[in-house]
Amino acid sequence: MTGLSRRSFIVLTAAAASARALPKVAQSPPAKRILTVVYDKSLGMMRAIDRVVR
C-alpha cells in the first residue's frame, strides 16, 4: 500500500475537494450586498437588514 495514515488521507481528500471547488468559486460573479434600514415596532428603534443577492 501507500503507507497513508488516517489523518493524512483526510487531509489529502480535503485538499482534492477544495482544489475542485476553487475554480467554480473564482468564476462566479461577485455577490451584491443590499443594506436596508427599517423601523422595528417591537424594538422601538431602527434596525439594519443586510441581504446578499447574486
Side-chain angles (χ1 to χ4, degrees):
M1 289 292 286
T2 59
L4 288 175
S5 67
R6 182 183 303 167
R7 182 175 291 168
S8 62
F9 175 75
I10 292 172
V11 169
L12 287 175
T13 306
S18 64
R20 288 186 57 163
L22 186 62
K24 292 179 185 176
V25 172
Q27 291 177 354
S28 64
K32 185 177 180 181
R33 299 180 71 101
I34 298 176
L35 180 66
T36 308
V37 180
V38 296
Y39 183 76
D40 192 345
K41 291 182 182 178
S42 63
L43 293 175
M45 57 188 248
M46 299 297 282
R47 183 169 64 115
I49 300 174
D50 189 24
R51 293 187 304 157
V52 178
V53 180
R54 293 184 184 210

